[in-house]
Amino acid sequence: MKQLDVKTYGEPILRGSATRVDRFDEELANLAQGMIETMIAERGIGLAAPQVGVGKRLVIALQMKDIDDSGASPLVLVNPEITAVSKETWSYEEGCLSLPGISGDVIRPSEIDVTYQDLDGTKRQLTADGMFGRILQHEIDHLDGKLFIDYLSSANKSLAKSKLKQLTQNKHLF
Ligand code: NI
């Protein structure tokens, strides 16, 4: 399987709203497999379909307990929805394959309940906390055009903005 092209900041699809998946066919399975291979090759810990230019509600996430959990396997979630969040929150410095070179502290709920479908279309649900819960929130945000930089404080945002400018300028140059 050929590695998929990861879209970076400035590509309109990263700000769009992805559409629900209603066909659970081989094409969908191939997309998920390609995303997993691309994520691993890029040393990512999660990936959403819009990041590879596909506006569908599909994400993959490593089921990591913490950031040092190197043996975590990827989970494919189709049409994922967060149905409940904990009051308790925690902060962690996030990055994104679509925003290379940029990172920032993001506060998110510690635990979430998620409903989703697997690649066969079977409805499932899970409760996720720790790094896995955070990755899922980050990836599900991508499906609605939301990026982690949207959560940064205004000071950190302006810092990130100058780097983002370079990113979009480079895009036009090369
Ligand atoms: Ni991301």
Side-chain angles (χ1 to χ4, degrees), residues 51 95-97 138-139 142:
Q51 290 184 275
C96 180
L97 288 176
H138 177 118
E139 303 311 335
H142 272 300

mmCIF file with all atom_site columns, all heavy atoms in Angstrom, residues 51 95-97 138-139 142, ligand 1:
data_model
loop_
_atom_site.group_PDB
_atom_site.id
_atom_site.type_symbol
_atom_site.label_atom_id
_atom_site.label_alt_id
_atom_site.label_comp_id
_atom_site.label_asym_id
_atom_site.label_entity_id
_atom_site.label_seq_id
_atom_site.pdbx_PDB_ins_code
_atom_site.Cartn_x
_atom_site.Cartn_y
_atom_site.Cartn_z
_atom_site.occupancy
_atom_site.B_iso_or_equiv
_atom_site.pdbx_formal_charge
_atom_site.auth_seq_id
_atom_site.auth_comp_id
_atom_site.auth_asym_id
_atom_site.auth_atom_id
_atom_site.pdbx_PDB_model_num
ATOM   1  N  N   . GLN A 1 51  ? -7.212  14.563 7.084  1.00 0.00 ? 51  GLN A N   1
ATOM   2  C  CA  . GLN A 1 51  ? -5.773  14.830 7.032  1.00 0.00 ? 51  GLN A CA  1
ATOM   3  C  C   . GLN A 1 51  ? -5.097  14.168 5.828  1.00 0.00 ? 51  GLN A C   1
ATOM   4  O  O   . GLN A 1 51  ? -3.986  14.535 5.458  1.00 0.00 ? 51  GLN A O   1
ATOM   5  C  CB  . GLN A 1 51  ? -5.086  14.343 8.317  1.00 0.00 ? 51  GLN A CB  1
ATOM   6  C  CG  . GLN A 1 51  ? -5.437  15.169 9.540  1.00 0.00 ? 51  GLN A CG  1
ATOM   7  C  CD  . GLN A 1 51  ? -4.650  14.676 10.742 1.00 0.00 ? 51  GLN A CD  1
ATOM   8  O  OE1 . GLN A 1 51  ? -5.057  13.740 11.407 1.00 0.00 ? 51  GLN A OE1 1
ATOM   9  N  NE2 . GLN A 1 51  ? -3.504  15.297 10.988 1.00 0.00 ? 51  GLN A NE2 1
ATOM   10 N  N   . GLY A 1 95  ? 0.672   18.000 19.462 1.00 0.00 ? 95  GLY A N   1
ATOM   11 C  CA  . GLY A 1 95  ? 1.152   18.355 18.135 1.00 0.00 ? 95  GLY A CA  1
ATOM   12 C  C   . GLY A 1 95  ? 0.197   17.735 17.136 1.00 0.00 ? 95  GLY A C   1
ATOM   13 O  O   . GLY A 1 95  ? -0.787  17.109 17.519 1.00 0.00 ? 95  GLY A O   1
ATOM   14 N  N   . CYS A 1 96  ? 0.497   17.906 15.849 1.00 0.00 ? 96  CYS A N   1
ATOM   15 C  CA  . CYS A 1 96  ? -0.402  17.374 14.821 1.00 0.00 ? 96  CYS A CA  1
ATOM   16 C  C   . CYS A 1 96  ? 0.393   17.173 13.535 1.00 0.00 ? 96  CYS A C   1
ATOM   17 O  O   . CYS A 1 96  ? 1.195   18.045 13.177 1.00 0.00 ? 96  CYS A O   1
ATOM   18 C  CB  . CYS A 1 96  ? -1.546  18.372 14.594 1.00 0.00 ? 96  CYS A CB  1
ATOM   19 S  SG  . CYS A 1 96  ? -2.728  17.852 13.342 1.00 0.00 ? 96  CYS A SG  1
ATOM   20 N  N   . LEU A 1 97  ? 0.177   16.067 12.859 1.00 0.00 ? 97  LEU A N   1
ATOM   21 C  CA  . LEU A 1 97  ? 0.899   15.802 11.608 1.00 0.00 ? 97  LEU A CA  1
ATOM   22 C  C   . LEU A 1 97  ? 0.586   16.858 10.549 1.00 0.00 ? 97  LEU A C   1
ATOM   23 O  O   . LEU A 1 97  ? 1.377   17.074 9.637  1.00 0.00 ? 97  LEU A O   1
ATOM   24 C  CB  . LEU A 1 97  ? 0.547   14.406 11.065 1.00 0.00 ? 97  LEU A CB  1
ATOM   25 C  CG  . LEU A 1 97  ? 1.126   13.211 11.845 1.00 0.00 ? 97  LEU A CG  1
ATOM   26 C  CD1 . LEU A 1 97  ? 0.613   11.908 11.255 1.00 0.00 ? 97  LEU A CD1 1
ATOM   27 C  CD2 . LEU A 1 97  ? 2.650   13.230 11.849 1.00 0.00 ? 97  LEU A CD2 1
ATOM   28 N  N   . HIS A 1 138 ? -8.770  14.689 19.935 1.00 0.00 ? 138 HIS A N   1
ATOM   29 C  CA  . HIS A 1 138 ? -8.032  15.440 18.915 1.00 0.00 ? 138 HIS A CA  1
ATOM   30 C  C   . HIS A 1 138 ? -8.488  15.014 17.510 1.00 0.00 ? 138 HIS A C   1
ATOM   31 O  O   . HIS A 1 138 ? -8.757  15.864 16.650 1.00 0.00 ? 138 HIS A O   1
ATOM   32 C  CB  . HIS A 1 138 ? -6.529  15.199 19.117 1.00 0.00 ? 138 HIS A CB  1
ATOM   33 C  CG  . HIS A 1 138 ? -5.635  15.846 18.102 1.00 0.00 ? 138 HIS A CG  1
ATOM   34 N  ND1 . HIS A 1 138 ? -4.698  16.811 18.430 1.00 0.00 ? 138 HIS A ND1 1
ATOM   35 C  CD2 . HIS A 1 138 ? -5.512  15.644 16.766 1.00 0.00 ? 138 HIS A CD2 1
ATOM   36 C  CE1 . HIS A 1 138 ? -4.057  17.181 17.324 1.00 0.00 ? 138 HIS A CE1 1
ATOM   37 N  NE2 . HIS A 1 138 ? -4.529  16.485 16.299 1.00 0.00 ? 138 HIS A NE2 1
ATOM   38 N  N   . GLU A 1 139 ? -8.591  13.701 17.289 1.00 0.00 ? 139 GLU A N   1
ATOM   39 C  CA  . GLU A 1 139 ? -8.943  13.200 15.950 1.00 0.00 ? 139 GLU A CA  1
ATOM   40 C  C   . GLU A 1 139 ? -10.402 13.491 15.598 1.00 0.00 ? 139 GLU A C   1
ATOM   41 O  O   . GLU A 1 139 ? -10.706 13.848 14.462 1.00 0.00 ? 139 GLU A O   1
ATOM   42 C  CB  . GLU A 1 139 ? -8.682  11.694 15.837 1.00 0.00 ? 139 GLU A CB  1
ATOM   43 C  CG  . GLU A 1 139 ? -7.256  11.251 16.133 1.00 0.00 ? 139 GLU A CG  1
ATOM   44 C  CD  . GLU A 1 139 ? -6.186  12.040 15.404 1.00 0.00 ? 139 GLU A CD  1
ATOM   45 O  OE1 . GLU A 1 139 ? -6.468  12.614 14.331 1.00 0.00 ? 139 GLU A OE1 1
ATOM   46 O  OE2 . GLU A 1 139 ? -5.054  12.105 15.908 1.00 0.00 ? 139 GLU A OE2 1
ATOM   47 N  N   . HIS A 1 142 ? -10.908 16.864 14.286 1.00 0.00 ? 142 HIS A N   1
ATOM   48 C  CA  . HIS A 1 142 ? -10.537 17.020 12.876 1.00 0.00 ? 142 HIS A CA  1
ATOM   49 C  C   . HIS A 1 142 ? -11.744 16.837 11.955 1.00 0.00 ? 142 HIS A C   1
ATOM   50 O  O   . HIS A 1 142 ? -11.802 17.415 10.876 1.00 0.00 ? 142 HIS A O   1
ATOM   51 C  CB  . HIS A 1 142 ? -9.473  15.980 12.482 1.00 0.00 ? 142 HIS A CB  1
ATOM   52 C  CG  . HIS A 1 142 ? -8.049  16.414 12.734 1.00 0.00 ? 142 HIS A CG  1
ATOM   53 N  ND1 . HIS A 1 142 ? -7.499  17.527 12.149 1.00 0.00 ? 142 HIS A ND1 1
ATOM   54 C  CD2 . HIS A 1 142 ? -7.058  15.855 13.473 1.00 0.00 ? 142 HIS A CD2 1
ATOM   55 C  CE1 . HIS A 1 142 ? -6.233  17.649 12.529 1.00 0.00 ? 142 HIS A CE1 1
ATOM   56 N  NE2 . HIS A 1 142 ? -5.932  16.646 13.345 1.00 0.00 ? 142 HIS A NE2 1
HETATM 57 NI NI  . NI  B 2 .   ? -4.050  16.272 14.288 1.00 0.00 ? 1   NI  B NI  1
#
